[in-house]
Amino acid sequence: MMEGWLGNDTVLMTIDITQIWIYLLLIGPLLLYMIATAGVSLSKAGFNSAWSLLLLLPVIQVFVIWIFALKKWPRVGMPKPKEEDNKKDIVS
């Protein structure tokens, strides 16, 4: 007379297509914001902004953050532009 080890009152959770759309509408803008801000930060640091797409992969994102934190940054140590050069560009 045993129905199963979970019993008669077990309700399996099903996901409807409307629930998926609601989830995407709530989480989608957050993911886009995360990718956009990471892309801008990476491009300012001298990296390709396409690397920000790796933040969508749950386990890999931890390693990507560590790689960028410990890697030699391309724009570190570059000489700063002189103000005279900036004034020439503005006047020209």
Side-chain angles (χ1 to χ4, degrees), residues 17-32:
I17 191 71
T18 56
Q19 292 173 334
I20 293 173
W21 279 106
I22 291 171
Y23 177 75
L24 288 175
L25 288 174
L26 294 175
I27 301 299
L30 181 65
L31 289 175
L32 289 175

Side-chain angles (χ1 to χ4, degrees), residues 20-92:
I20 293 173
W21 279 106
I22 291 171
Y23 177 75
L24 288 175
L25 288 174
L26 294 175
I27 301 299
L30 181 65
L31 289 175
L32 289 175
Y33 178 75
M34 179 182 71
I35 292 170
T37 54
V40 169
S41 299
L42 287 171
S43 65
K44 283 185 178 182
F47 294 108
N48 189 355
S49 59
W51 283 94
S52 63
L53 294 175
L54 290 174
L55 293 177
L56 293 174
L57 304 172
V59 176
I60 294 176
Q61 65 180 301
V62 175
F63 294 110
V64 169
I65 291 170
W66 276 99
I67 288 170
F68 284 120
L70 300 175
K71 187 177 180 181
K72 183 179 177 185
W73 288 48
R75 293 202 179 166
V76 173
M78 289 180 62
K80 293 183 180 180
K82 297 178 183 176
E83 288 192 30
E84 299 166 358
D85 295 336
N86 291 339
K87 288 179 183 176
K88 289 178 186 175
D89 291 337
I90 294 172
V91 173
S92 310

